[in-house]
């Protein structure tokens, strides 16, 4: 598994918060968010759901109703487990999984849907 942090090349990246602010999207509900960042998904999973971080006085949180994320290195079991657990803790359920189009081993496309917290209550 190679993270985006392992590259010697300096990526042209900005945070989700910075992107939303530059587009004047603070506080928006995003219907569909697609992410393919070649390994950075593990690094930014917390940013996708961290409402305390987004809830700062200068930024209203984004809500992603549906996410399609290409996950690289699912063989890195501990990192993958934390990634999926973080999303589930924030009310996302996995509704789709497939081998990515390029067919590389360990790369899968996942679809996540945001549900209300009531969905997870025991009856």
């Amino acid at each position: 598994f190679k993270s985006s942090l392992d590259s010697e090349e300096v990526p042209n990246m900005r945070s989700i918060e910075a992107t939303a602010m530059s587009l004047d999207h603070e506080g928006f509900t995003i219907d569909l968010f697609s992410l393919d960042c070649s390994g950075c998904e593990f690094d930014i999973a917390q940013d996708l759901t961290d409402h305390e971080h987004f809830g700062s006085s200068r930024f209203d949180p984004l809500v992603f109703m549906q996410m399609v994320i290409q996950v690289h290195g699912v063989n890195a079991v501990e990192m993958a487990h934390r990634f999926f657990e973080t999303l589930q803790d924030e009310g996302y359920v996995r509704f789709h999984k497939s081998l990515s189009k390029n067919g590389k081993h360990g790369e899968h496309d996942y679809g996540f849907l945001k549900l209300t917290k009531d969905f997870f209550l025991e009856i």
Side-chain angles (χ1 to χ4, degrees), residues 46 48 64 79 98 101:
Q46 196 67 39
L48 295 172
F64 303 106
M79 290 177 74
S98 65
K101 289 184 283 187

Side-chain angles (χ1 to χ4, degrees), residues 28-87:
F28 277 32
T29 296
I30 307 298
D31 292 324
L32 178 60
F33 178 75
S34 180
L35 178 67
D36 179 3
C37 59
S38 299
C40 76
E41 61 277 358
F42 295 116
D43 300 330
I44 67 169
Q46 196 67 39
D47 289 343
L48 295 172
T49 60
D50 190 353
H51 298 294
E52 287 181 17
H53 171 72
F54 282 146
S56 67
S57 60
R58 62 191 210 346
F59 187 78
D60 290 327
L62 295 172
V63 176
F64 303 106
M65 298 306 296
Q66 184 175 336
M67 295 189 289
V68 177
I69 301 175
Q70 188 171 81
V71 178
H72 303 78
V74 292
N75 297 328
V77 176
E78 187 176 320
M79 290 177 74
H81 180 73
R82 279 196 313 266
F83 173 77
F84 290 112
E85 191 174 71
T86 297
L87 293 176

Side-chain angles (χ1 to χ4, degrees), residues 88-103:
Q88 183 176 329
D89 288 347
E90 290 299 321
Y92 288 94
V93 295
R94 186 178 63 222
F95 72 88
H96 173 79
K97 174 188 174 190
S98 65
L99 189 61
S100 68
K101 289 184 283 187
N102 62 20

